[in-house]
Amino acid sequence: IDHVEFVSCSQPDVDKAAVRFSNFYSLKPDDAKSSVTNSAIHKGLGIGIMITNANNVKVDGNVVFMQQIGGIFMKASHDVTITNNIVGGISTTHLANKNTSSEIVGIDVCNKNQNCRNLVVKNNIVGGCKHIGFLMPAVSCTESSTSYENNLVHSVEYGVFILKSNIVSGCQAFRNFKAYKTVRHGVLTYQGYRTIEVSNIETLD
């Protein structure tokens, strides 16, 4: 999918996103990636882009705005690249009374202790999200710092909630992140790490 506009395409209170990649693990690293690139997703009643139980997916250069609950969500997936996207204006209409403000996330990566491997989340901007800008797991302290870098968030309640990875043993790390104009914390975690290293973080206002 490239250079496409999706308007009012997602459904409320379910995982029926405007763009959805789900239930395929057959792709190999050398295969062409499934992708959504250079597209606009907006004014939907649910999530903008959803990746679930899939692998080898590329999400690059998209603008996701005025969606409900989430901009880009990924869970239980591997070999996923989320880069150069802009996500903004994510809120909720509380449809069917199932959604609460604590669920609203701009970019949600591998939530709820799922086994996600080989992720790249770089050069994304989230702004104007009602609750959390980024929700994403830590990496191994020995892993290259380029897996997650140059992500920026502003005008949210919390900048990033760092998840504890359940596929990394020992020291975990989170690096290279910027947050400003947050209502509460720029960087937040409380998931019982034995050791966590947080470095190259800029947070203000």
Side-chain angles (χ1 to χ4, degrees):
I1 300 171
D2 186 55
H3 287 93
V4 177
E5 181 180 21
F6 298 85
V7 185
S8 303
C9 288
S10 51
Q11 299 180 29
D13 297 314
V14 293
D15 286 348
K16 301 296 190 294
V19 178
R20 185 164 53 127
F21 302 92
S22 64
N23 300 316
F24 61 87
Y25 278 123
S26 60
L27 294 177
K28 297 179 174 55
D30 293 336
D31 292 335
K33 287 183 180 289
S34 296
S35 64
V36 54
T37 57
N38 306 308
S39 295
I41 299 100
H42 60 101
K43 298 179 182 175
L45 295 178
I47 296 165
I49 300 171
M50 168 68 83
I51 305 160
T52 179
N53 297 309
N55 77 320
N56 222 15
V57 177
K58 176 182 177 181
V59 179
D60 179 76
N62 303 287
V63 178
V64 183
F65 65 100
M66 295 180 67
Q67 292 291 133
Q68 307 296 323
I69 306 303
I72 301 172
F73 273 31
M74 190 222 78
K75 59 184 180 180
S77 300
H78 314 304
D79 303 296
V80 173
T81 299
I82 300 173
T83 52
N84 306 306
N85 301 284
I86 298 174
V87 176
I90 307 301
S91 61
T92 180
T93 56
H94 295 277
L95 294 167
N97 296 317
K98 293 182 181 180
N99 297 320
T100 65
S101 62
S102 63
E103 298 172 328
I104 303 169
V105 182
I107 297 180
D108 187 334
V109 178
C110 199
N111 196 354
K112 299 182 180 176
N113 284 330
Q114 293 151 355
N115 293 317
C116 304
R117 299 184 300 275
N118 303 326
L119 309 179
V120 175
V121 184
K122 298 169 60 173
N123 305 321
N124 301 287
I125 298 173
V126 173
C129 181
K130 191 170 184 179
H131 189 48
I132 299 173
F134 289 82
L135 195 154
M136 54 204 298
V139 298
S140 169
C141 289
T142 60
E143 185 173 329
S144 168
S145 63
T146 59
S147 298
Y148 303 156
E149 66 177 4
N150 296 330
N151 295 298
L152 182 147
V153 61
H154 67 87
S155 309
V156 296
E157 186 173 6
Y158 297 96
V160 61
F161 189 104
I162 308 170
L163 300 168
K164 182 179 179 181
S165 173
N166 67 342
I167 63 171
V168 175
S169 59
C171 178
Q172 299 190 25
F174 187 81
R175 313 176 181 105
N176 306 319
F177 185 82
K178 295 178 177 148
Y180 67 95
K181 291 195 178 299
T182 58
V183 176
R184 299 181 186 274
H185 308 298
V187 177
L188 172 68
T189 187
Y190 50 83
Q191 291 204 322
Y193 299 90
R194 189 161 188 172
T195 303
I196 182 168
E197 295 180 1
V198 179
S199 62
N200 197 23
I201 305 295
E202 295 180 29
T203 180
L204 65 153
D205 292 342

